Amino acid sequence: MAKEDYYDLLGVQKGASAAEIKKAYRKKAMQHHPDKNQGNKESETKFKKINEAYDILKDPQKKAAYDQFGHSAFQNGTGASAGAGGFGGFGGMGGGDFSGFGDIFGDIFSDMMGGGRGARQEQKSRGSDLRYDVDLTLEEAYEGLKKDIDIYSFVECDRCSGSGAEKDSKVETCSTCHGRGTVQMRQGFFSVQQPCPHCHGKGTIITNPCKKCHGDGRVKKHRSLSVSIPAGVGHGTKIRLSGEGEAGKNKGVSGDLYIFINMLKHNVFERDGLDLHCKVPIKFTKAILGGGVDIPLINGKTVELKVPEGTQSGQVFRLKGYGMPRMRSSVYGNLYVELSVETPVKLNKKQKDLIKEFEKISEKNSPLSSAFFKKNKK
């Protein structure tokens, strides 16, 4: 009798990927597993056939041979032997090469059985990353600076150098798991891995724990760091300090420290990327006659702005290169100055008389207001 096509047995197309083949096999194997179909000879036979098919199709070399020559590629003793033998006891396999079967069902039932291949814990584990928020003024962000910070975190125990054991005491290999950190647990037909209950997945036993860290290898401690903050940082800038996070367990590598920049509000300047904006009041006489105005800069200096005659309130001038620096660059943004013409207050009689006289002879010197009211009349 001709053997069934392996692809048909698993319910996949010939060009199916390894992941699709694996998924189809899991579904079929669950459906026809002997533990779910006790006494059903048809399911038992089907289960052996689909396992034989998967044994061929999961192996790239066997699969290539099967795709080219079909079942004849595995005749004369060179083929898969998964179909041989029978079943005995509670799900016990008799005969046959079911290589890879345990791996498949270890994945399927890892959650159900409380373990699986993923349950194994490595002896060394990386330390946690840390976050530290730094408030900066705009002046500090402009210049860049070194900032001293204090953090409280796990560090390697200086008494035992991270081993967790007292000096001259032994760190023994766990006799239960023989250093693997996991133990095999039989669950009926299946065999799954779980963290060793004796060493809790470490693989070693400390006979005389360190009196300072109590065997953990780490202690919590305050430590000071000097952080270099480059010029040009902005709100939300993140600076990574590699290895300055928490110490890892069992001499594992340390995590990283991330510095997050929070910019404080400035009372003169507003920032927009690399550009700065400020509003500067000027006397109305300066706006009328023009002249120089000293503009404050973020570095504490001033620069003179040449105000032209007849400058209007709200007019904006650009001072190129007087903005914020780009991080780790020689490029600077611009400073945008909005002039606000100040109206005089609390005038004496003489000042009022002069203003009235000026108004009489200045009707043609206010084109904007004249044009506005003419439009209104129309």
Side-chain angles (χ1 to χ4, degrees):
M1 183 177 179
K3 296 185 71 173
E4 292 182 64
D5 181 82
Y6 287 151
Y7 290 102
D8 290 342
L9 280 167
L10 297 183
V12 295
Q13 298 294 323
K14 188 173 182 179
S17 66
E20 291 172 330
I21 292 172
K22 185 176 183 179
K23 183 178 179 181
Y25 170 66
R26 285 180 175 181
K27 184 177 179 180
K28 293 285 186 180
M30 286 286 290
Q31 181 182 351
H32 296 286
H33 190 269
D35 283 354
K36 294 181 65 176
N37 302 276
Q38 294 188 21
N40 188 329
K41 295 295 183 181
E42 184 178 347
S43 283
E44 180 179 318
T45 301
K46 189 76 170 180
F47 183 76
K48 287 190 288 184
K49 287 181 177 180
I50 61 178
N51 198 71
E52 176 183 342
Y54 181 67
D55 185 65
I56 297 299
L57 299 183
K58 74 175 183 178
D59 186 304
Q61 293 183 338
K62 291 181 181 178
K63 181 176 180 293
Y66 178 74
D67 289 346
Q68 187 171 3
F69 302 107
H71 292 293
S72 61
F74 304 100
Q75 293 176 353
N76 301 323
T78 61
S81 57
F87 295 85
F90 181 67
M93 284 189 178
D97 175 17
F98 287 84
S99 59
F101 174 78
D103 290 343
I104 291 292
F105 279 85
D107 291 341
I108 296 175
F109 293 104
S110 61
D111 292 334
M112 183 177 73
M113 300 298 186
R117 296 188 318 180
R120 176 165 182 163
Q121 299 180 12
E122 297 292 335
Q123 279 190 280
K124 294 183 179 181
S125 61
R126 183 180 183 275
S128 299
D129 292 334
L130 298 176
R131 170 175 176 156
Y132 191 95
D133 293 308
V134 172
D135 292 336
L136 289 186
T137 64
L138 195 58
E139 289 85 355
E140 289 174 326
Y142 179 85
E143 297 288 351
L145 74 159
K146 281 189 175 292
K147 193 88 169 177
D148 293 329
I149 65 173
D150 182 78
I151 58 177
Y152 182 64
S153 66
F154 278 111
V155 298
E156 186 178 271
C157 177
D158 55 5
R159 181 182 177 93
C160 65
S161 299
S163 69
E166 276 292 304
K167 188 177 181 181
D168 299 328
S169 66
K170 294 182 178 179
V171 179
E172 300 177 351
T173 300
C174 176
S175 58
T176 301
C177 67
H178 306 290
R180 290 189 300 271
T182 58
V183 291
Q184 292 276 21
M185 300 293 290
R186 301 292 299 185
Q187 299 283 354
F189 176 74
F190 306 102
S191 176
V192 296
Q193 289 181 332
Q194 291 180 329
C196 175
H198 190 204
C199 67
H200 304 290
K202 291 183 177 180
T204 56
I205 299 293
I206 299 174
T207 56
N208 186 17
C210 171
K211 292 180 175 59
K212 186 172 183 178
C213 67
H214 308 290
D216 188 65
R218 308 180 304 167
V219 292
K220 278 211 164 184
K221 183 180 178 181
H222 283 279
R223 56 194 176 103
S224 296
L225 291 174
S226 183
V227 181
S228 294
I229 299 177
V233 293
H235 189 77
T237 296
K238 183 170 63 176
I239 301 171
R240 174 174 169 263
L241 301 179
S242 179
E244 294 293 352
E246 287 193 336
K249 280 191 173 184
N250 304 311
K251 288 185 170 291
V253 296
S254 297
D256 299 328
L257 172 63
Y258 290 89
I259 306 296
F260 282 77
I261 302 299
N262 175 49
M263 294 301 304
L264 300 175
K265 189 174 181 179
H266 200 274
N267 60 354
V268 174
F269 298 101
E270 289 187 7
R271 183 176 181 178
D272 180 16
L274 295 183
D275 296 329
L276 294 176
H277 298 258
C278 70
K279 184 178 288 189
V280 177
I282 61 170
K283 293 181 178 181
F284 84 107
T285 52
K286 183 74 69 174
I288 294 171
L289 302 175
V293 176
D294 287 334
I295 304 299
L297 301 176
I298 190 61
N299 61 6
K301 300 178 182 180
T302 60
V303 63
E304 186 180 59
L305 172 65
K306 296 294 185 181
V307 178
E309 290 183 10
T311 294
Q312 302 299 309
S313 188
Q315 200 163 339
V316 177
F317 297 86
R318 183 184 73 162
L319 298 178
K320 189 175 181 181
Y322 287 101
M324 295 294 290
R326 178 172 291 161
M327 283 179 59
R328 301 180 180 88
S329 171
S330 59
V331 175
Y332 282 76
N334 302 316
L335 172 61
Y336 290 89
V337 179
E338 180 183 341
L339 296 183
S340 175
V341 178
E342 184 180 15
T343 302
V345 296
K346 297 181 180 180
L347 299 177
N348 57 36
K349 185 178 182 302
K350 184 178 180 180
Q351 289 170 324
K352 290 180 180 179
D353 289 341
L354 289 172
I355 293 296
K356 289 176 182 178
E357 184 66 26
F358 175 78
E359 186 179 23
K360 289 179 183 179
I361 62 174
S362 305
E363 187 175 344
K364 296 181 180 180
N365 298 106
S366 303
L368 294 179
S369 58
S370 299
F372 175 78
F373 288 110
K374 282 181 181 179
K375 285 180 182 178
N376 261 350
K377 288 180 179 179
K378 289 181 181 180

